[in-house]
Amino acid sequence: MSLHPENWFFKFHQRNLHRPPDRNMSSTALGRRLVACLLNVSEARRKDVVESVARAALLNSQGEAVLSACQKACSLIDMNDHLGVHPCLGAVDLVPIYPLGEDVGVEMCAQEAQAVAQELTERVPGSSVFLFGWADSPLRRGLAVRRKEMGWFRKNPDLEAIRPDVGPEPQRRFGLTGVGAGPYVMNCNVTIDTRDVALGRSVAAAIRGSTPGGLPGVQVLALPHEGAVEIACNVESMEGPPPSHLMDEPWPCFSVDGRPYCHAPAALIAARVAELAGSQGVGVRGVALVGFTPHECRDLAELALSRGMGEFWKQQGRIRM
């Protein structure tokens, strides 16, 4: 669950987007075929809507968890009525597909993402999609690049000027959905104890991966949040080993198609934010890891699927969707 007041993020785990899991498989075999989808929907104030979207995925008997959740979200969320400070374009804002198991590769994830994009626009007439990452063939443009092209970062994007990759010209009712695939992306939010958004932006700029001396793979915004400022980070995985000069904390590592990937750890991000904010007399109010590391994601998904625990987050005593 994200801390943004207008968006909740869900994580649905399954070994295949279109087939239900075989609970008789061994945990090792199950884990080798897992993918994850971190589904972003533009709603958080209405808990009943959020839970309805989650149940649509969990209770789908055909194994089409992602499409079922997307359809439910589009039926319940009207972008004409949307209010919030966090950037977004669609009722279903983002459908990213990440490989978790060794038997799931780049091409498989790309094909699944393209199929989800096509089927979503067919099942929800009027919905539109842009593709990113491995699904954006042949350019494979990253999510940040594609969002900038689509106007995602603008306060009032011009939908009529957008040319989606799949579906018709975006309608205000559903907006525009990003669908794609790539190596795992972790989300980490650090709340600093100030109302000064400009100060927050200076901290965000310093840790951004594109800034000299910043943290590799980190894309970040500074947003007002409940009387404070949230440093909201998307942490992309990068190919290769961790940077040798940033090894104060262990970096989560994994492989896709035999190639090594890693991403900056939440502890490193939090420490850097605390250092930068502290130098200006501002403390840290809290840190939230949204979702899991890749290994946590896989382990919990294996456990939940092998035991048939669809509402696993409730059995864990807290919401972790």
Side-chain angles (χ1 to χ4, degrees), residues 121 124-128 168-171 174-175:
T121 56
V124 182
S127 61
S128 309
E169 178 183 295
Q171 300 179 13
F174 303 115

Side-chain angles (χ1 to χ4, degrees), residues 98-100 134 182-185 236-240 251-256 258-263 293-295:
Y98 308 130
L100 295 178
W134 299 334
Y184 199 90
V185 175
E236 293 187 336
S237 297
M238 60 181 190
E239 190 171 350
W251 286 51
C253 298
F254 59 99
S255 64
V256 179
R259 296 182 176 182
Y261 287 86
C262 64
H263 68 74
T293 67
H295 290 299

Side-chain angles (χ1 to χ4, degrees), residues 15-178:
R15 63 183 177 89
N16 189 288
L17 295 179
H18 297 292
R19 293 196 299 272
D22 178 358
R23 292 176 188 165
N24 294 320
M25 292 176 66
S26 71
S27 61
T28 300
L30 182 66
R32 294 183 66 88
R33 300 181 64 185
L34 279 171
V35 301
C37 178
L38 183 61
L39 181 65
N40 292 234
V41 300
S42 297
E43 178 59 67
R45 295 185 175 94
R46 297 177 294 170
K47 185 179 179 182
D48 60 319
V49 171
V50 174
E51 292 190 344
S52 293
V53 174
R55 290 194 182 97
L58 297 172
L59 301 180
N60 184 277
S61 62
Q62 303 302 313
E64 299 178 328
V66 173
L67 284 168
S68 181
C70 288
Q71 286 180 269
K72 179 61 71 173
C74 286
S75 72
L76 297 176
I77 301 169
D78 187 341
M79 292 303 289
N80 286 301
D81 303 323
H82 184 269
L83 296 172
V85 297
H86 192 278
C88 65
L89 277 176
V92 177
D93 199 53
L94 191 67
V95 187
I97 295 171
Y98 308 130
L100 295 178
E102 296 86 346
D103 293 343
V104 182
V106 170
E107 291 306 318
M108 182 183 295
C109 289
Q111 291 169 9
E112 290 287 0
Q114 291 163 356
V116 167
Q118 188 64 47
E119 291 186 44
L120 174 60
T121 56
E122 292 174 0
R123 296 188 189 193
V124 182
S127 61
S128 309
V129 168
F130 71 87
L131 300 172
F132 67 90
W134 299 334
D136 176 39
S137 180
L139 299 178
R140 292 192 172 182
R141 289 164 290 184
L143 177 58
V145 170
R146 299 255 52 209
R147 277 178 161 172
K148 187 175 182 179
E149 292 173 348
M150 297 295 146
W152 187 83
F153 296 99
R154 298 174 191 161
K155 188 172 183 179
N156 296 299
D158 182 3
L159 293 182
E160 293 182 0
I162 294 174
R163 298 293 177 263
D165 297 314
V166 187
E169 178 183 295
Q171 300 179 13
R172 183 63 185 171
R173 168 70 174 80
F174 303 115
L176 182 69
T177 299

Side-chain angles (χ1 to χ4, degrees), residues 163-222:
R163 298 293 177 263
D165 297 314
V166 187
E169 178 183 295
Q171 300 179 13
R172 183 63 185 171
R173 168 70 174 80
F174 303 115
L176 182 69
T177 299
V179 180
Y184 199 90
V185 175
M186 186 265 289
N187 304 99
C188 177
N189 300 330
V190 184
T191 304
I192 57 177
D193 198 12
T194 180
R195 295 177 181 267
D196 188 344
V197 177
L199 187 154
R201 287 174 180 156
S202 70
V203 171
I207 67 170
R208 189 169 289 126
S210 59
T211 300
L215 300 177
V218 174
Q219 300 169 357
V220 56
L221 295 173

